[in-house]
Amino acid sequence: MARRRQLYEGKAKILFEGPEPGTLVQYFKDDATAFNAQKKGMITGKGVLNNRISEFLMTKLAEINVPTHFIRRLNMREQLIKEVEIIPIEVVVRNIAAGSIAQRLGIPEGTRLPRSIVEYYYKNDSLGDPMVAEEHITAFGWATPPDMDDIVHLTLRINDFLTGLFLGVGITLVDFKLEFGRLYENEEMRVVLADEISPDNCRLWDSKTNEKMDKDRFRRDLGKIEEAYQEVARRLGILPEAGSRDMKGPETMQ
Ligand code: UDP
């Protein structure tokens, strides 16, 4: 395969120049990090599964008219996406208390929240992604008030839709993180869903047993990480056909 020019390497993904202007190739790695990259590891096959899971969820969201950066999956580890200007905010939606909200506010993990709560974190690794209010976001110009209207509206629709979709396959969507970008097309700007949606940035619990099926298995050393990601894909009906042989690494790229 012709080498593409690498534009950016993040913790779990690499971005390459795309085949046409305005496109990028997003490559999913097996690398895993947690606690602002203080904990590092590798989850074999994670990149393949996240590529597939994110493709599936973004495609479903596009079907209900949520605009996304996703164009199509290229191979086991890569997808073609539209180039967007990333808004430097991590948008977290919570339905059930877990992780940092449980700790910060002393709410027992597993408590259903009175309603879905949307939080914002400023994307800045050296500051450890601090939580911010909409006031900070608009005052510092990270996003405009109309951007924020789009973001909240899209986020709540995504939450409603994904909650139902996961519930249908016996999974509780506890919380998740989204990123948005500005897409410039035909003299117009639109806020679209970017990044990925996968067990790396969602908390997914088995609806019956509350067993964790997401990156908390890595964060908390619970074991059976690959199996959990694979089970999410299996329940969504999208396990890669060739099974675990295809999970290995870049050599399986087409
Ligand atoms: N999350 C993420 N990236 C981050 C921080 C959080 O994808 O940098 C996701 C995380 O997987 C969870 C949700 O956002 O689904 C809420 O995470 P929380 O604030 O509880 O932080 P954590 O304690 O997991 O770091």
Side-chain angles (χ1 to χ4, degrees), residues 103-140:
Q103 279 197 326
R104 201 173 51 241
L105 302 182
I107 306 172
E109 193 158 280
T111 309
R112 180 156 286 280
L113 297 166
R115 59 179 164 85
S116 302
I117 294 176
V118 179
E119 298 173 344
Y120 307 109
Y121 295 83
Y122 177 44
K123 254 171 85 75
N124 185 314
D125 280 341
S126 55
L127 297 175
D129 297 345
M131 184 154 135
V132 292
E134 192 166 335
E135 279 285 286
H136 301 101
I137 297 172
T138 52
F140 293 118

Side-chain angles (χ1 to χ4, degrees), residues 35 90 92 94 98-101 104 119 121 129 175-177 199-203 215-216 219:
F35 312 117
E90 299 196 336
V92 168
R94 302 179 184 277
S100 69
I101 196 174
R104 201 173 51 241
E119 298 173 344
Y121 295 83
D129 297 345
D175 59 29
F176 60 102
K177 185 263 295 183
D200 265 11
N201 44 37
C202 299
R203 283 197 170 91
K215 206 166 92 175
D216 270 349
R219 292 191 189 96

